[in-house]
Amino acid sequence: MTSSARTGLVVGKFWPPHRGHQLLLETAAAQVAELLVLVYARPDSETMPAPVRAQWLRELYRGDKLADGPRIGRTPLRIFALTAEADGVPPDAADYTTQREFVRQWLARQGLVVDVIFSSEDYGPGFAAHLGVAHVAVDNARQLVPVSGTLVRNNPMKYARHLHPLVAAQLGVVPPTEVPRVVFLGAESSGKSTLCAALAEACATVWVPEYGRTLHEQKNGNLDYDDLLYIARRHAELEDEAAAQAHGVLFCDTNAATTALYSYYYFHRCDPALQAMAAVCGQRYAHTFVCAPTVPFEQDGWRGPEALRSFQHGMILMQLDYFNIPYTLVEGTVAERVAQVQSHLTFIN
């Protein structure tokens, strides 16, 4: 049977989703045409129940086109959150036969047929045999990603490096980074991008453009509510990718807290997962700089009216005070701003 004809299955608690889970899902997706993912536990988490964890997985694997649904590469993911009330999930302590039969019957009720099970647990082969399908083991020894959900639950800070930034934020922690990250905030047309580019050149390092601007242009200004969390997630991923090329410091244009502000501005609400990402910005960056809106306003066709700059500036400062995030205001010409920032880099490093 070719991979293009196969449907795969992954079953787990994903409590919380970690890099080991992502390795499992991505390995599985590379070998099948469609991947089914069942998320459940009993007893379940009160603060992050299966429907919430399933939604985190969907968000981790959504792309620019929300209508396409979550996917890894070209492989679509169908992610199901199962509960004791709606699906009769058996207790975690139930024997293997009970657990395996539950999944078999649940799949039958949904009219779903799978060809192969992927797992990182010793029970995988017996589970697959019960369903009469093939089995593929993925890093059972946890050599590639030495982590488990239990380890993360017991000590989120210690194992934060094995968590995606979106998931880590939900636990109130930030994955460690090899180089300090410096973030620049400011109203529209306040010179953030220009300053970041100038600093990256002056410091022989790299910088991360504002991903929200990129998606805003790609969608011709027609952002959806769900796009705001996606913007924060992608921006965090781009920071992580850029950190591998950075030398001494990484400059970042905007953060999740500002993205949360725009969520409220455009849609009068904010996804709880985005709120969590905003709340850890004080931990994520070594220092925060705010660009004063005193440079000449440039209307490039994507920005709001100039009159909004003062309001946006005030809201950013209010949010920083609310989260108790120290910041430095930079003013003047580009050269003057570069000098102001560079004077702070010694204590950042």
Side-chain angles (χ1 to χ4, degrees), residues 16-338:
H18 53 66
R19 295 293 190 186
H21 290 131
Q22 291 189 257
L23 173 65
L24 173 62
L25 295 175
E26 290 161 17
T27 300
Q31 301 180 44
V32 296
E34 179 183 51
L35 184 62
L36 310 182
V37 183
L38 307 189
V39 181
Y40 65 89
R42 184 178 178 185
D44 206 351
S45 170
E46 294 183 0
T47 57
M48 55 179 85
V52 171
R53 301 195 302 274
Q55 186 55 38
W56 292 348
L57 287 176
R58 294 186 190 101
E59 183 56 41
L60 287 180
Y61 292 109
R62 71 151 285 193
D64 288 353
K65 297 180 180 179
L66 183 60
D68 289 346
R71 61 181 56 241
I72 299 175
R74 295 183 178 181
T75 303
L77 305 183
R78 297 181 64 185
I79 302 171
F80 302 88
L82 281 54
T83 65
E85 297 76 15
D87 304 282
V89 169
D92 292 348
D95 60 77
Y96 281 155
T97 300
T98 299
Q99 298 283 3
R100 295 162 180 171
E101 184 60 17
F102 163 73
V103 174
R104 189 191 68 78
Q105 292 185 19
W106 187 89
L107 291 170
R109 289 197 301 271
Q110 309 303 316
L112 298 172
V113 177
V114 301
D115 303 292
V116 55
I117 289 175
F118 296 84
S119 79
S120 298
E121 305 288 349
D122 292 338
Y123 64 69
F127 181 24
H130 188 89
L131 269 62
V133 302
H135 176 258
V136 175
V138 181
D139 195 27
N140 276 33
R142 303 294 198 274
Q143 292 182 334
L144 297 177
V145 187
V147 72
S148 70
T150 300
L151 291 174
V152 175
R153 291 195 297 274
N154 290 340
N155 196 335
M157 183 72 71
K158 180 177 180 180
Y159 293 97
R161 66 186 183 280
H162 296 305
L163 300 174
H164 185 284
L166 182 148
V167 176
Q170 314 312 307
L171 304 179
V173 298
V174 174
T177 181
E178 295 297 324
V179 296
R181 303 181 189 196
V182 173
V183 64
F184 294 84
L185 309 180
E188 293 179 332
S189 191
S190 60
K192 302 190 310 301
S193 300
T194 301
L195 180 56
C196 281
L199 281 162
E201 181 177 359
C203 298
T205 187
V206 296
W207 68 287
V208 183
E210 179 183 359
Y211 180 72
R213 171 62 180 261
T214 301
L215 188 64
H216 187 73
E217 293 181 6
Q218 287 178 1
K219 300 190 70 172
N220 198 31
N222 298 314
L223 293 179
D224 299 314
Y225 169 69
D226 291 330
D227 287 329
L228 276 296
L229 175 57
Y230 174 64
I231 287 168
R233 188 209 98 198
R234 281 296 297 137
H235 190 87
E237 291 171 346
L238 292 170
E239 285 185 4
D240 288 348
E241 293 170 11
Q245 283 77 47
H247 300 282
V249 62
L250 176 65
F251 298 114
C252 306
D253 180 352
T254 303
N255 63 11
T258 296
T259 304
L261 277 181
Y262 277 104
S263 183
Y264 283 111
Y265 177 72
Y266 286 119
F267 303 102
H268 305 160
R269 56 194 175 119
C270 183
D271 191 293
L274 176 52
Q275 292 175 350
M277 294 187 74
V280 298
C281 282
Q283 303 173 49
R284 186 171 177 83
Y285 302 97
H287 196 66
T288 298
F289 292 92
V290 179
C291 294
T294 52
V295 298
F297 182 80
E298 294 184 10
Q299 179 52 266
D300 58 5
W302 299 104
R303 295 175 174 140
E306 182 178 2
L308 279 177
R309 282 206 303 178
S310 178
F311 174 75
Q312 291 169 341
H313 181 68
M315 291 299 294
I316 289 168
L317 298 183
M318 182 187 76
Q319 188 186 51
L320 290 169
D321 288 341
Y322 176 80
F323 284 126
N324 295 314
I325 298 176
Y327 63 89
T328 300
L329 186 69
V330 291
E331 303 182 83
T333 65
V334 173
E336 289 170 338
R337 293 182 179 202
V338 167

